């Protein structure tokens, strides 16, 4: 047995950090050509073993927890953001229980009550900020705000949502400031952002604690948000989540969904602006399903089933996630030497693993014209019969496979798979529904389609993300 090939480097310690950091997809592709699906590179003293294509995805996502863990890779990054005692700051078995509790809150019953809230919050943003007949706006900024308002209102509840204008948004922003590659690489540095995050957590604990206390004093009031679910959730041993855990878990959920969903919604709008025929196709399907005109300010409220069945929007989101997967790097740490099946390679303890589902999702081997945004490739037609995900693709909130042997896994697979996928699809599709009903979009002629920006933990469009809106009238 031997270790996977090592990418040569010229600068000791720093290694290939610059090449990887500038454009991870190109870096991985070039080395994949030279070394195959498994190779190691040095990044700031850390040995990073890249595992790509279907075999690499499967190896990382389904690795045994006794040998390979997510918490050893992520906790130094996520603890200052999420706070203590949740997600990667607890043993894996506890995370599994916490995920089960959250999943119980992401029920169809609750989702049904979220649709009017998504619509109301999106309309509120538009009525406040997009007041002209037509204008050019920073689309990423606008959509990020729609995502935080819709997510806070539905997951954290109306009380905390109403405090967003009173400084809670700034506290989130402070926590978010710790969620950068610097904090992954320099976990030992006493960065000022850590101090700020401790302070922000203390303030949020106070705000959340007060709301929880008020709710406990009024046990008969009905709520359909995640706060309510977690406040009443119990571990297998009969213990409650502490109030602090409830608050931290809510922060974790908000953070997990914020940049990922904002990036996906923004890229969707940019691509729809670039290909207005797809936007028109989505509008035609919406009107046909709703049995009424859907244009202008007073958008009718679709049912949960209708949003689920907006198949053009579903394909828009799925295709956007394929070519612009927000999480380009999935990390793990090897804690016991682990053999890669069907190879002679053994990865030593201490190495990090890097999976990148974006590599297989953009591989010509699996998708014709893989770099192009073609939502119709997901349509159930004879022409698409050979599509690699055909057997596992089902309409309605992107219910793609949970197996790791797929080239397209924007939500991961295995024990750490995303539990927010259905929430994200519902939220993104409903926001797109409102936006397409009320506006025509076009790209800014000077700026065009933005490039990808890899400098943040979540891959975003390179700013300024300009797009043009024009009101639609009856
Ligand atoms: C895990 C992607 C939205 C909550 C993951 C993972 C991916 C992912 C790739 C696996 C990470 C890994 O294996 O290391 C996305 C994308 C989203 C999205 C692309 C939006 C388009 C959300 C939302 C929530 C959420 C809205 C919460 C409501 C979680 C949680 C985990 C997770 C709790 C589990 C972490 C673990 O078990 O280690 N997500 N996510 N995500 N996501 Fe999402």
């Amino acid at each position: 047995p031997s270790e996977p090939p090592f990418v040569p480097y010229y600068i000791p310690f720093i290694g290939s950090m610059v090449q990887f950091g500038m454009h991870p997809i190109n870096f991985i592709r070039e080395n994949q050509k030279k070394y195959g699906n498994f190779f190691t590179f040095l990044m700031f003293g850390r040995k990073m073993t890249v595992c790509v294509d279907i075999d690499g995805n499967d190896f990382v996502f389904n690795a045994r927890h006794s040998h390979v863990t997510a918490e050893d890779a992520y906790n130094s990054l996520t603890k200052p953001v999420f706070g203590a005692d949740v997600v990667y700051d607890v043993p894996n078995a506890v995370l599994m229980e916490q995920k089960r509790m959250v999943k119980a809150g992401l029920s169809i019953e609750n989702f049904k009550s979220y649709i009017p809230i998504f619509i109301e919050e999106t309309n509120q943003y538009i009525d406040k900020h997009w007041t002209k007949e037509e204008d050019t706006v920073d689309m990423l900024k606008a959509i990020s705000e729609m995502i935080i308002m819709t997510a806070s209102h539905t997951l954290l509840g109306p009380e905390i949502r109403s405090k967003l204008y009173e400084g809670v948004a700034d506290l989130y922003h402070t926590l978010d400031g710790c969620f950068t590659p610097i904090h992954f690489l320099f976990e030992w540095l006493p960065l000022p952002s850590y101090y700020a995050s401790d302070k922000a957590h203390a303030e949020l604990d106070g705000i959340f604690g007060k709301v929880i206390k008020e709710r406990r004093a009024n046990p008969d009031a009905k709520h359909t948000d995640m706060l309510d679910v977690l406040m009443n959730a119990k571990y297998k041993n009969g213990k409650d989540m502490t109030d602090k855990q409830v608050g931290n878990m809510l922060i974790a959920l908000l953070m997990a969904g914020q940049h990922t969903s904002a990036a996906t919604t923004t890229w969707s709008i940019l691509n729809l602006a670039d290909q207005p025929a797809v936007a028109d196709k989505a509008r035609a399907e919406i009107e046909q399903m709703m049995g009424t005109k859907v244009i202008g300010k007073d958008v009718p409220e679709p049912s949960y089933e209708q949003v689920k069945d907006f198949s053009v929007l579903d394909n828009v989101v799925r295709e956007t996630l394929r070519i612009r997967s927000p999480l380009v790097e999935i990390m793990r740490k090897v804690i016991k030497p682990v053999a890669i099946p069907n190879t002679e390679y053994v990865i030593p303890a201490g190495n990090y693993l890097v999976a990148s589902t974006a590599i297989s999702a953009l591989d010509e081997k699996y998708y014709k014209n893989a770099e192009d945004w073609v939502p119709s490739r997901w349509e159930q037609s004879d022409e698409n019969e050979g599509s690699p995900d055909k057997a596992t693709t089902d309409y309605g909130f992107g219910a793609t496979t949970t197996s790791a042997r797929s080239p397209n896994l924007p939500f991961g697979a295995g024990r750490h798979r995303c539990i927010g996928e259905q929430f994200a699809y519902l939220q993104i599709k409903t926001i797109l529904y409102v936006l397409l009903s009320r506006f025509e979009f076009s790209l800014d002629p000077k700026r065009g389609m933005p490039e990808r920006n890899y400098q943040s933990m979540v891959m975003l469009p390179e700013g300024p993300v300009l797009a043009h809106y024009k009101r639609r009238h009856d």
Side-chain angles (χ1 to χ4, degrees):
S2 60
E3 289 189 30
F6 211 108
V7 178
Y9 55 90
Y10 306 103
I11 318 170
F13 197 67
I14 293 182
S16 309
M17 184 172 88
V18 176
Q19 295 91 319
F20 178 73
M22 295 288 282
H23 203 306
I25 292 185
N26 284 355
F27 175 82
I28 294 175
R29 275 189 184 146
E30 279 162 25
N31 287 296
Q32 185 188 21
K33 258 189 237 141
K34 284 189 215 156
Y35 304 111
N37 290 334
F38 300 92
F39 57 87
T40 302
F41 71 94
L42 189 72
M43 179 171 83
F44 232 79
R46 296 172 189 220
K47 290 202 275 173
M48 318 289 292
T49 300
V50 173
C51 312
V52 284
D53 207 343
I54 288 184
D55 287 340
N57 296 343
D58 192 30
F59 171 67
V60 173
F61 287 126
N62 285 325
R64 282 168 58 194
H65 184 254
S66 52
H67 291 61
V68 168
T69 85
E71 54 274 27
D72 288 287
Y74 292 143
N75 196 34
S76 64
L77 177 69
T78 51
K79 189 175 180 179
V81 185
F82 302 166
D85 295 332
V86 295
V87 191
Y88 303 117
D89 197 48
V90 290
N92 185 259
V94 178
L95 169 61
M96 295 299 118
E97 282 203 60
Q98 292 179 342
K99 283 177 82 172
R100 256 202 312 280
M101 295 172 186
V102 171
K103 232 172 163 168
L106 297 170
S107 62
I108 293 181
E109 171 86 5
N110 285 357
F111 283 170
K112 287 184 175 170
S113 72
Y114 294 170
I115 290 174
I117 299 175
F118 291 154
I119 295 177
E120 177 200 324
E121 290 287 355
T122 309
N123 277 331
Q124 228 179 72
Y125 179 88
I126 293 169
D127 295 338
K128 186 162 168 215
H129 297 276
W130 293 2
T131 50
K132 299 193 182 144
E133 187 58 26
E134 56 183 293
D135 200 4
T136 297
V137 293
D138 184 329
M139 194 51 77
L140 179 61
K141 189 165 170 265
I143 286 183
S144 298
E145 186 151 341
M146 293 174 199
I147 296 288
I148 199 152
M149 294 303 177
T150 47
S152 301
H153 197 155
T154 50
L155 299 176
L156 279 59
E159 305 97 315
I160 295 169
R161 157 65 182 91
S162 71
K163 293 185 166 62
L164 275 178
Y165 289 124
E166 300 161 24
V168 170
D170 293 337
L171 296 175
Y172 290 161
H173 194 75
T174 301
L175 298 182
D176 201 44
C178 290
F179 201 55
T180 68
I182 299 246
H183 292 83
F184 174 71
L185 291 170
F186 304 94
E187 51 180 295
W188 33 267
L189 263 186
L191 295 169
S193 37
Y194 290 131
Y195 172 72
S197 106
D198 282 348
K199 248 181 89 195
H201 263 289
E203 279 187 55
L204 284 171
D205 278 351
I207 294 168
F208 285 30
K210 201 162 151 241
V211 174
I212 293 173
K213 215 161 137 204
E214 279 164 14
R215 285 200 181 186
R216 289 210 206 281
N218 293 289
D220 293 337
K222 193 173 154 19
H223 302 281
T224 57
D225 44 54
M226 187 63 67
L227 171 61
D228 192 65
V229 173
L230 297 182
M231 269 176 61
N232 296 302
K234 282 199 189 311
Y235 290 104
K236 272 195 300 227
N237 63 9
K239 282 206 175 126
D240 294 327
M241 265 195 177
T242 63
D243 288 358
K244 217 167 170 167
Q245 270 181 329
V246 171
N248 288 351
M249 195 65 207
L250 290 172
I251 293 170
L253 295 176
L254 214 61
M255 295 291 174
Q258 179 59 28
H259 298 301
T260 45
S261 294
T264 308
T265 313
T266 305
W267 284 116
S268 296
I269 285 289
L270 292 170
N271 281 291
L272 288 163
D274 191 41
Q275 296 188 36
V278 180
D280 284 338
K281 191 168 157 183
R283 292 186 184 106
E285 185 191 50
I286 285 169
E287 294 202 333
Q288 190 233 332
M289 285 179 49
M290 303 283 292
T292 169
K293 285 207 112 180
V294 182
I295 184 165
K297 206 165 167 338
D298 302 310
V299 281
E301 186 184 313
S303 67
Y304 169 78
E305 284 73 20
Q306 280 169 325
V307 178
K308 196 168 145 113
D309 288 344
F310 291 156
S311 73
V312 181
L313 287 186
D314 217 66
N315 292 337
V316 161
V317 177
R318 186 179 292 127
E319 179 69 345
T320 301
L321 283 166
R322 185 185 66 79
I323 67 162
R324 293 292 179 264
S325 175
L327 297 179
V328 172
E329 297 130 37
I330 302 286
M331 307 268 201
R332 299 286 186 265
K333 192 164 185 187
V334 179
I335 54 169
K336 260 193 213 156
V338 58
I340 305 175
N342 307 317
T343 70
E344 79 263 25
Y345 300 144
V346 172
I347 308 176
N351 279 32
Y352 289 82
L353 302 182
V354 183
S356 183
T357 62
I359 299 294
S360 45
L362 288 168
D363 195 328
E364 287 289 327
K365 186 162 78 193
Y366 302 116
Y367 301 98
K368 211 161 65 180
N369 303 324
E371 296 281 345
D372 295 346
W373 188 76
V374 187
S376 64
R377 73 168 85 235
W378 299 101
E379 282 170 13
Q380 316 259 328
S381 67
D382 292 346
E383 199 195 323
N384 291 343
E385 203 43 57
S387 142
D389 296 73
K390 182 75 174 62
T392 50
T393 302
D394 187 13
Y395 280 112
F397 307 142
T400 42
T401 174
T402 49
S403 144
R405 297 209 65 83
S406 159
N408 188 37
L409 296 166
F411 296 94
R415 68 173 64 234
H416 290 288
R417 192 185 195 286
C418 187
I419 46 173
E421 174 176 6
Q422 301 207 329
F423 177 88
Y425 262 82
L426 187 69
Q427 178 190 34
I428 295 169
K429 285 173 78 174
T430 308
I431 292 175
L432 290 177
Y433 164 80
V434 175
L435 294 180
L436 289 186
S437 305
R438 298 190 61 177
F439 303 99
E440 308 270 354
F441 293 98
S442 52
L443 292 176
D444 182 61
K446 280 198 220 99
R447 186 83 178 98
M449 181 65 79
E451 290 295 321
R452 287 171 268 196
N453 172 5
Y454 297 103
Q455 310 315 311
S456 45
M457 296 303 293
V458 171
M459 196 265 293
L460 300 169
E462 180 90 83
V465 186
L466 301 181
H468 189 82
Y469 73 74
K470 183 167 186 280
R471 249 167 233 287
R472 297 174 78 231
H473 296 287
D474 210 347

